[in-house]
Amino acid sequence: MKWLCVLVTIVAGSIGDLLSAGGMSRLGEQRSFHSAGVAGNLRYIFTHPAVLAGIAANAVSFVSFIGLLSVSELSFAVPVTALGYILRTVLAKVFLGELVNWKRWAGVVLVALGVLLISV
Amino acid sequence: MRHRHLVQTDHYILPVSRLRNRTTIVFIVITNSVGNLLLALGTRHLPAFDPTALLSYFGVALVNGWILGGVAVLAVSMYAQLAMFTWSDLSYVVPMTASGYILTAVLGQVFLNEAVSVVRWAGIGLISVGVLLVAETGPRTVHEADGPAR
């Protein structure tokens, strides 16, 4: 049960972010936080299949994380799910073609290690 | 032919864009922390989590004011993150939003007088260095007109 929750939390969350990021990046740069811009973005978000699937996958991940918290300690749940940072970076490189240079690899590994340390 | 830019470094981004980038990250991080705090406060009024009765658990949760407020704030945070994906890489946004852990630790130290151990400070230091490294790469490595590569 514990490890199933870990797996679902990490994998569903990473795939969710991959789908959302892939779908949103097709829209092109939208920096406006004025009402018209926000309305346009929301229309895009709620009609784009990949973005919607991404949100659904993140919801599954969220419920699974709540379940993980109920069967394990926070000091286990937080660092173990930090592995999701690494998986998201790998998926972004492979499926979105993002250029992950040494600074990004080093940065994301340091972040994951840091999350491990603050949880012990 | 798919054309890719070299990895853009932050020095070449206009200062205004850089400021907006940082502001959006800070906004995502703060709304995320506040939303989680509201959820945590709300769960105190809920029965113990029962995976076999998920629907009734969420039925009770969704009429709780704290939880509703937390969900609303988290929805705003999620919107900001989705908007940021239109101009930023996933491999940039994800580690940058980890700066939230630094905020949580500092807030706990300042407002709750939580003792922060040497190991935790080391963790905060590692996260900070990691975030600074990723910040230097700039938000976008895929040429926008091409859309994401598959």
Side-chain angles (χ1 to χ4, degrees):
Chain A
M1 180 67 184
K2 190 166 85 169
W3 288 102
L4 180 69
C5 286
V6 169
L7 190 72
V8 172
T9 304
I10 293 176
V11 173
S14 302
I15 290 177
D17 277 356
L18 173 70
L19 290 170
S20 309
M24 290 310 292
S25 67
R26 279 160 197 273
L27 183 59
E29 185 166 330
Q30 302 293 324
R31 283 176 184 270
S32 166
F33 279 82
H34 297 294
S35 54
V38 171
N41 284 353
L42 287 175
R43 205 160 32 242
Y44 183 86
I45 288 167
F46 286 110
T47 54
H48 197 287
V51 179
L52 285 176
I55 293 172
N58 265 313
V60 170
S61 171
F62 179 73
V63 172
S64 171
F65 185 69
I66 304 275
L68 177 61
L69 287 181
S70 74
V71 295
S72 74
E73 296 291 314
L74 196 62
S75 60
F76 170 79
V78 172
V80 80
T81 50
L83 285 174
Y85 286 110
I86 313 274
L87 181 58
R88 281 167 174 81
T89 306
V90 171
L91 293 179
K93 180 181 166 62
V94 174
F95 293 103
L96 301 178
E98 294 177 8
L99 299 180
V100 183
N101 64 357
W102 73 267
K103 280 184 178 173
R104 279 196 185 171
W105 281 124
V108 75
V109 169
L110 285 177
V111 164
L113 285 176
V115 174
L116 180 71
L117 284 187
I118 62 171
S119 316
V120 290
Chain B
M1 195 181 80
R2 179 152 278 143
H3 168 78
R4 284 179 189 171
H5 277 312
L6 290 174
V7 171
Q8 189 180 31
T9 73
D10 215 17
H11 313 291
Y12 299 118
I13 305 177
L14 285 174
V16 175
S17 304
R18 193 160 62 202
L19 182 66
R20 276 190 189 158
N21 254 351
R22 305 283 157 93
T23 313
T24 312
I25 293 285
V26 169
F27 182 81
I28 293 170
V29 162
I30 290 177
T31 47
N32 198 52
S33 308
V34 171
N36 282 329
L37 181 67
L38 290 173
L39 284 189
L41 289 171
T43 51
R44 289 183 185 176
H45 307 285
L46 292 183
F49 183 79
D50 179 5
T52 58
L54 261 187
L55 281 180
S56 70
Y57 182 83
F58 283 100
V60 178
L62 284 178
V63 293
N64 178 295
W66 292 104
I67 304 255
L68 277 181
V71 169
V73 175
L74 284 176
V76 172
S77 189
M78 188 169 191
Y79 170 79
Q81 185 169 342
L82 287 174
M84 190 160 187
F85 283 143
T86 67
W87 78 83
S88 304
D89 287 352
L90 177 61
S91 60
Y92 174 83
V93 174
V94 163
M96 290 298 279
T97 48
S99 49
Y101 289 104
I102 306 169
L103 178 72
T104 308
V106 172
L107 288 181
Q109 162 92 354
V110 173
F111 291 105
L112 305 174
N113 258 336
E114 281 179 359
V116 180
S117 66
V118 179
V119 179
R120 291 200 79 194
W121 278 123
I124 293 167
L126 284 187
I127 295 174
S128 307
V129 175
V131 167
L132 288 176
L133 275 175
V134 175
E136 264 197 54
T137 65
R140 190 53 118 194
T141 62
V142 185
H143 195 306
E144 239 170 53
D146 294 337
R150 269 169 300 177

